[in-house]
Amino acid sequence: MKMRTCLLAFLGLIVIGLSCVPVARAETTGESPATESPAESKKPAAFADRGAQTCIKCHDQSPVSDILKTPHVVKGDGRTPFGQDNHDCETCHGASPEHIHSHPASGEKKASTAVVFKGPNAASVEKRNEMCTNCHENGMRMNWRGSQHQSNDVACVDCHTVHVTKDPVLVKQKQPEKCFTCHAEQRAQSFMYSHHPVREGKVSCGDCHSVHGSPGPKLMKEFTVNQTCYNCHAEKRGPFMWEHQPVREDCISCHTPHGSTEARLMSERMNFMCSACHSGSTSANSGAAFGGHGALSGSQKNIAISSGLANQRTCLNCHSQVHGSNSANGAYFLR
Ligand code: HEC
Ligand code: HEC
Ligand code: HEC
Ligand code: HEC
Ligand code: HEC
Ligand code: HEC
Ligand code: HEC
Ligand code: HEC
Ligand code: HEC
Ligand code: HEC
């Protein structure tokens, strides 16, 4: 008896739901909607009447039910999917009467929800992202539109998981694995001899990158690469009495951020790296580059020039203050 009442009520809802369609169209085309009857104005009837209760009848198992323990499910908080309109699950999955009430013959598929986020039935990236940006288009996602991820059709849920007590991408130790599913090169670099301790869980990709979008290059967290580095390596910021020009311009002219076979994240073997800019034949410093070394005594001159390229640290043996010097006599970064 109870079942039949439900069924009748449900059919009634569908009828109201269908009759709402033209109204919705009118709204999207900007025409003023037709006057609504009191019954229609309550709420779009296609949504399940009892919100999450309807869904949980069938979906009461982990991981689906884990969402009930997350910040998305706070009944008293009108900003959450469970705090408004009683749409609950359907705030994200869309009104899904076909899904709730389809009873497929054995061997046949059940109709999907209006929006499926993962797997073979997933909705378009645009549709899925729209469900999230309905609520999340401010704060740190201000720059999402036009960002590298948005314009390459990456979905919010390619990184985020919502049916889990703690979203792994928000956990420092677990975040890189998410990123590595698409960024294999950075994964390989993270295993190199010298690397930022990202795999070790001490630094996260998000410490340097604003993955939702950035006004800076390469999704940098700050406006420039250098400002991003200064967040943790403040002692390199200076100002120094004697500045080494490439340090001020771009840390990446000598370092590589994700991993290197050379110590100290050097982009090349040390002395080759210095010589790339300071060589007698190839740079604007022509002649002047090693001219100063002429003033050294014989043996010192040899160190600098003949065995220099063979020894990783040779230039640094004398020029120890490559990032800049505050010594009165530091013009050559010797002290
Ligand atoms: C009568 C039981 C029942 C109810 C009620 C129900 N579901 Fe389902 N749902 C299922 C079954 C069974 C599947 C697996 C379908 C399949 O694999 O064929 C499923 C699958 C899904 C999927 C995955 C769909 C896909 O194509 O990958 C989502 C999302 C989902 N349900 C959400 C919901 C939401 C949200 C509600 C409430 C609005 C809900 N379900 C109500 C039984 C139900
Ligand atoms: C109805 C609005 C609404 C929708 C739709 C919504 N969210 Fe949220 N979301 C919230 C609110 C509110 C919070 C809690 C924010 C807070 O406490 O400051 C939240 C929190 C989060 C958090 C942080 C969770 C944590 O553990 O701190 C993530 C990540 C997130 N949402 C991602 C998503 C994704 C991805 C989607 C789309 C699948 C989505 N949200 C859809 C309102 C929404
Ligand atoms: C490339 C992976 C990636 C994509 C795509 C992505 N996020 Fe995030 N999201 C993150 C990471 C990582 C964090 C943690 C904060 C950080 O490190 O910047 C985060 C944090 C969040 C938070 C919680 C932090 C807060 O306080 O605001 C919300 C909410 C969120 N994302 C929503 C979204 C929405 C909505 C989309 C789609 C428009 C999206 N994200 C797309 C990786 C991603
Ligand atoms: C904040 C948006 C949001 C809310 C609210 C939400 N879901 Fe989901 N749902 C998702 C996303 C995103 C996925 C993809 C898997 C994931 O991220 O955990 C998903 C996946 C699912 C799946 C498929 C799981 C699988 O393993 O294939 C089911 C079933 C489901 N949701 C049911 C529900 C039910 C039931 C509720 C209400 C209790 C609900 N969802 C509330 C966003 C949401
Ligand atoms: C679903 C695949 C996918 C995931 C997951 C993903 N990315 Fe991306 N990412 C892309 C694509 C596609 C681009 C744009 C093409 C490119 O530059 O490789 C991109 C671009 C970037 C860029 C900018 C590259 C540039 O040249 O400007 C950075 C930085 C980045 N991702 C970092 C991350 C981080 C950090 C994470 C994890 C929190 C992550 N990505 C997760 C697919 C992904
Ligand atoms: C210590 C800061 C830092 C960390 C941590 C970091 N990155 Fe980067 N990333 C950079 C810098 C700086 C660049 C720009 C390099 C350039 O311009 O040559 C960059 C560039 C990128 C690019 C663009 C490709 C390229 O080489 O130009 C991708 C993709 C990327 N990072 C992904 C990641 C991922 C994924 C993680 C985490 C596993 C991560 N990054 C962690 C600083 C960092
Ligand atoms: C979130 C903090 C953080 C940011 C931002 C950061 N670093 Fe680091 N950096 C570290 C930590 C932590 C270490 C490891 C220190 C240790 O092992 O003692 C490190 C180590 C290094 C090392 C030495 C590596 C080695 O093998 O000894 C270099 C070089 C370096 N960072 C350069 C950079 C550059 C260039 C940037 C900007 C692109 C940058 N860092 C941004 C935290 C950061
Ligand atoms: C001209 C090349 C060059 C530039 C540009 C450069 N570095 Fe370095 N950096 C070096 C060399 C060489 C070492 C190794 C020093 C040693 O082993 O004593 C080093 C070592 C480091 C170290 C680890 C040892 C230490 O001194 O803490 C950090 C961190 C570092 N650099 C950060 C930075 C940051 C941040 C920037 C940009 C502001 C930057 N570097 C720009 C050449 C450079
Ligand atoms: C990306 C190019 C670049 C790299 C790599 C580089 N330098 Fe420089 N260096 C410069 C520039 C540009 C100046 C300023 C030259 C000028 O003022 O004439 C400079 C100045 C110097 C000076 C002071 C010279 C003077 O006349 O004031 C010394 C010493 C020096 N560099 C040593 C090194 C050492 C040692 C390394 C390797 C650790 C190195 N440089 C790597 C570009 C570079
Ligand atoms: C034995 C110590 C020593 C070593 C090793 C050394 N230098 Fe020098 N370098 C000096 C001294 C001292 C000066 C300053 C000479 C002067 O007062 O005119 C100098 C000057 C310079 C200058 C400025 C030249 C000018 O006239 O403007 C550059 C550039 C330079 N060195 C680069 C290098 C590079 C690159 C290496 C490694 C291949 C290196 N040095 C190895 C001691 C050394």
Side-chain angles (χ1 to χ4, degrees):
M1 186 65 196
K2 194 140 179 257
M3 281 294 286
R4 257 179 77 193
T5 325
C6 279
L7 194 60
L8 285 175
F10 163 64
L11 289 174
L13 287 175
I14 290 200
V15 172
I16 295 169
L18 289 175
S19 67
C20 277
V21 169
V23 176
R25 289 236 180 83
E27 273 167 359
T28 54
T29 53
E31 294 163 27
S32 61
T35 37
E36 293 171 353
S37 75
E40 283 168 344
S41 63
K42 271 189 206 149
K43 66 173 180 175
F47 286 98
D49 233 3
R50 299 179 57 230
Q53 296 310 318
T54 308
C55 315
I56 289 169
K57 266 195 312 206
C58 301
H59 295 289
D60 59 352
Q61 308 263 312
S62 179
V64 175
S65 59
D66 290 346
I67 196 171
L68 301 174
K69 299 169 212 149
T70 69
H72 273 135
V73 182
V74 182
K75 271 284 181 197
D77 185 345
R79 302 169 309 146
T80 75
F82 279 64
Q84 27 175 275
D85 305 334
N86 198 30
H87 295 163
D88 303 352
C89 313
E90 290 174 304
T91 314
C92 291
H93 287 287
S96 303
E98 298 83 358
H99 174 70
I100 298 171
H101 300 284
S102 79
H103 295 287
S106 66
E108 276 171 39
K109 289 279 298 171
K110 194 170 167 65
S112 285
T113 49
V115 181
V116 175
F117 287 93
K118 289 183 186 167
N121 300 331
S124 71
V125 169
E126 204 183 337
K127 183 73 201 165
R128 284 181 283 159
N129 286 357
E130 185 192 314
M131 300 316 281
C132 312
T133 52
N134 277 342
C135 295
H136 293 290
E137 191 152 43
N138 48 19
M140 62 200 288
R141 281 155 311 279
M142 241 164 23
N143 298 308
W144 172 250
R145 273 177 211 289
S147 73
Q148 288 88 323
H149 283 130
Q150 189 267 339
S151 53
N152 280 283
D153 271 354
V154 176
C156 310
V157 296
D158 284 336
C159 291
H160 290 290
T161 311
V162 307
H163 287 275
V164 64
T165 42
K166 187 71 198 167
D167 182 351
V169 86
L170 302 179
V171 178
K172 240 183 180 142
Q173 290 80 354
K174 296 183 181 162
Q175 181 190 93
E177 279 312 321
K178 262 291 170 204
C179 312
F180 291 157
T181 57
C182 298
H183 295 293
E185 195 185 328
Q186 281 69 29
R187 180 174 188 278
Q189 289 169 326
S190 78
F191 284 100
M192 287 178 179
Y193 168 69
S194 168
H195 57 267
H196 270 104
V198 168
R199 265 188 305 106
E200 292 79 358
K202 291 183 191 147
V203 172
S204 71
C205 313
D207 284 335
C208 291
H209 294 292
S210 253
V211 297
H212 299 120
S214 160
K218 307 277 183 188
L219 292 174
M220 278 293 117
K221 192 165 174 179
E222 307 295 342
F223 276 98
T224 65
V225 168
N226 277 32
Q227 279 167 0
T228 305
C229 309
Y230 298 151
N231 280 348
C232 299
H233 301 291
E235 77 288 353
K236 304 286 188 288
R237 184 196 295 270
F240 298 105
M241 191 184 301
W242 307 101
E243 300 279 10
H244 194 181
Q245 196 176 313
V247 176
R248 276 297 75 79
E249 281 170 2
D250 189 358
C251 308
I252 300 304
S253 35
C254 297
H255 294 289
T256 179
H258 307 115
S260 170
T261 51
E262 301 300 319
R264 305 292 187 206
L265 286 166
M266 299 316 305
S267 54
E268 297 186 68
R269 284 190 66 180
M270 187 77 73
N271 293 352
F272 284 120
M273 192 262 298
C274 306
S275 305
C277 298
H278 299 290
S279 88
S281 55
T282 59
S283 83
N285 293 321
S286 265
F290 290 109
H293 295 155
L296 304 174
S297 69
S299 64
Q300 283 178 313
K301 195 164 145 189
N302 279 347
I303 298 173
I305 293 162
S306 49
S307 63
L309 296 180
N311 184 330
Q312 280 284 298
R313 290 192 58 91
T314 308
C315 308
L316 292 184
N317 284 350
C318 301
H319 300 286
S320 58
Q321 304 301 309
V322 281
H323 297 104
S325 170
N326 279 322
S327 159
N329 299 320
Y332 296 106
F333 315 132
L334 298 165
R335 51 183 69 88

